[in-house]
Amino acid sequence: MLINPVKERMQAGEAALGLSVRLARSPDIARIAKATGHDFLFIDVQHSIFNLETIIGIAHTALAIGVAPVVRVRSVDDPDVSLLLDNGVSGIVFPDVNSAEEARRAVGRCRFPPIGGRSVSGGYPQFDYRSMPIAEAVPALDRATLVVCMIETAQGLAALEEIAAVPGVDVIHVGANDLLVSLGKPGRFDDPAVTEAMDRAIAAAEKHGIHAGCGGNRDVARQAAAIRRGVRFVTTQTDIGFLTAAASQWTTGLRKALAEPGT
């Protein structure tokens, strides 16, 4: 049986935490994610340059240690979606989903018939390349595959409820950064518009038996507040953000210590 740790945690009513990957190219980032309490990797192909072999190398390590490798692709029409899923990726995040029709296109790339149009392959790494009857492999892969639709524009926000109602969507994910820019309020993460968008996503997700997500909001208190309200899919911070924050804290502390008398 395939188990997606993100789906498992969300279905248990808990928040799944993801490490956004923009800098790392080594599969060891999966081990760091696990060691730091993350449930999934959010490999960001929309904003960073990755080749396919690098993504799959990371994905295979993540699969082996119980961390879900999730990829944010470039759009609902990204041609690499099925290729990524066939080779070990556990979920796809689609940015800028602005309508139910776009959500259906996203689902179509990820789900097998009759819901979608994903092509059947063989020798899936999810099964360690064991020979599996198609009648068993297809439903198992469908159950374990995560489909995330991001709401990042005023247009997408207007269609949020319709997008959440599309069969095959697992998460309706509010991208706070881009959404605020779209609304003419860049960087105003405490603006009521963000809270309202999250509450609408939570309500729509509950209505349709799926989950709400929160991204782009890089603040522990705000993330905790969103989780308490019902968000279950959260990206904590990027690898770049974690590295620069820790490095800056260290050098600042060291220079402060050296400036103190008697040190």
Side-chain angles (χ1 to χ4, degrees), residues 78-101:
D78 193 316
D80 291 331
V81 168
S82 61
L83 188 64
L84 290 166
L85 292 173
D86 286 347
N87 287 279
V89 168
S90 296
I92 301 293
V93 177
F94 293 95
D96 301 319
V97 178
N98 293 315
S99 67
E101 189 278 328

Side-chain angles (χ1 to χ4, degrees), residues 21-124:
V21 181
R22 293 192 57 196
L23 177 68
R25 297 296 183 271
S26 166
D28 289 329
I29 191 63
R31 300 189 185 281
I32 291 172
K34 183 174 183 178
T36 54
H38 288 89
D39 304 293
F40 66 97
L41 294 174
F42 186 99
I43 303 170
D44 192 357
V45 173
Q46 184 189 20
H47 294 300
S48 299
I49 304 297
F50 287 88
N51 66 44
L52 291 172
E53 289 185 356
T54 297
I55 295 171
I56 297 310
I58 294 172
H60 283 205
T61 296
L63 281 174
I65 62 175
V67 173
V70 175
V71 175
R72 174 160 67 178
V73 294
R74 290 164 288 176
S75 73
V76 296
D77 296 314
D78 193 316
D80 291 331
V81 168
S82 61
L83 188 64
L84 290 166
L85 292 173
D86 286 347
N87 287 279
V89 168
S90 296
I92 301 293
V93 177
F94 293 95
D96 301 319
V97 178
N98 293 315
S99 67
E101 189 278 328
E102 288 185 357
R104 283 189 286 270
R105 294 216 307 270
V107 169
R109 291 186 176 274
C110 297
R111 302 292 184 202
F112 294 104
I115 295 178
R118 181 179 168 188
S119 176
V120 174
S121 180
Y124 291 99

Side-chain angles (χ1 to χ4, degrees), residues 188-232:
R188 292 163 56 179
F189 293 102
D190 291 317
D191 192 280
V194 175
T195 303
E196 179 187 348
M198 285 309 319
D199 287 343
R200 283 179 57 189
I202 292 165
E206 289 178 351
K207 178 179 178 180
H208 297 287
I210 60 174
H211 307 281
C214 174
N217 202 335
R218 309 301 185 195
D219 178 85
V220 169
R222 287 194 294 261
Q223 289 178 1
I227 292 169
R228 291 190 187 102
R229 293 208 313 277
V231 167
R232 293 294 175 259

Side-chain angles (χ1 to χ4, degrees), residues 93-183:
V93 177
F94 293 95
D96 301 319
V97 178
N98 293 315
S99 67
E101 189 278 328
E102 288 185 357
R104 283 189 286 270
R105 294 216 307 270
V107 169
R109 291 186 176 274
C110 297
R111 302 292 184 202
F112 294 104
I115 295 178
R118 181 179 168 188
S119 176
V120 174
S121 180
Y124 291 99
Q126 290 92 330
F127 303 117
D128 296 324
Y129 297 108
R130 292 189 298 271
S131 178
M132 289 283 292
I134 293 298
E136 296 178 21
V138 165
L141 288 165
D142 251 343
R143 285 192 300 270
T145 296
L146 186 75
V147 179
V148 180
C149 289
M150 294 194 71
I151 304 300
E152 301 185 275
T153 65
Q155 183 182 355
L157 185 58
L160 186 153
E161 285 78 12
E162 290 82 3
I163 293 168
V166 172
V169 172
D170 293 301
V171 175
I172 191 87
H173 186 63
V174 176
N177 229 337
D178 279 327
L179 180 59
L180 282 168
V181 171
S182 176
L183 296 175

Side-chain angles (χ1 to χ4, degrees), residues 231-254:
V231 167
R232 293 294 175 259
F233 183 86
V234 178
T235 51
T236 57
Q237 179 56 287
T238 67
D239 51 1
I240 297 173
F242 280 130
L243 180 60
T244 55
S248 296
Q249 182 182 23
W250 194 285
T251 55
T252 299
L254 182 56

